[in-house]
Amino acid sequence: MNLKKIFPIVLSLGLLTSISFGTVDSANAAVKTYKNCTELNKAYKGGVARASNVKNKGGKTYYKPYVSKALYDANKKMDRDKDLIACER
C-alpha cells in the first residue's frame, strides 16, 4: 500500500469524526433552562423564538428575539401567550 494514498483518507476520516462529535456536544451544552424571564432576558434581550418565521402576538417589541429551537423548548413554560417566543421584550 502506498502511504501517500492512505494518509489523506485517514486524515479526512479523523476530521469528519471530530467535527461531528464536536457539534453535538456544543449544541447540548448551549441549552440552558432559566428560572424566570428576568434571567433569560439578561442573556437574550429579545427573548427566544422557536423559529425565525414566528410572529409576535403581543404588543410592540424593542428587541429582536434569539432563534433557537432547543433553547425555546427548554424554556417553553415562559411563553405565556403561546406565540412561540419566550420572554419577548
Side-chain angles (χ1 to χ4, degrees):
M1 296 208 164
N2 190 354
L3 186 59
K4 289 182 180 181
K5 291 181 181 179
I6 295 174
F7 184 72
I9 294 170
V10 172
L11 182 63
S12 297
L13 288 174
L15 288 172
L16 287 173
T17 305
S18 67
I19 289 171
S20 65
F21 286 124
T23 55
V24 171
D25 291 338
S26 64
N28 289 337
V31 177
K32 181 177 178 183
T33 303
Y34 291 90
K35 186 170 59 172
N36 54 37
C37 282
T38 304
E39 282 188 12
L40 189 138
N41 287 140
K42 285 180 184 176
Y44 306 100
K45 282 189 172 192
V48 177
R50 190 160 198 262
S52 61
N53 62 346
V54 298
K55 301 289 184 209
N56 183 19
K57 287 183 185 174
K60 182 178 167 101
T61 58
Y62 296 103
Y63 302 103
K64 186 175 179 180
Y66 177 77
V67 178
S68 171
K69 181 183 181 307
L71 191 59
Y72 174 83
D73 289 342
N75 296 285
K76 189 177 188 174
K77 65 180 186 247
M78 290 185 264
D79 184 9
R80 290 184 275 171
D81 56 359
K82 308 293 184 224
D83 63 353
L84 302 178
I85 304 172
C87 301
E88 62 266 24
R89 289 182 27 192

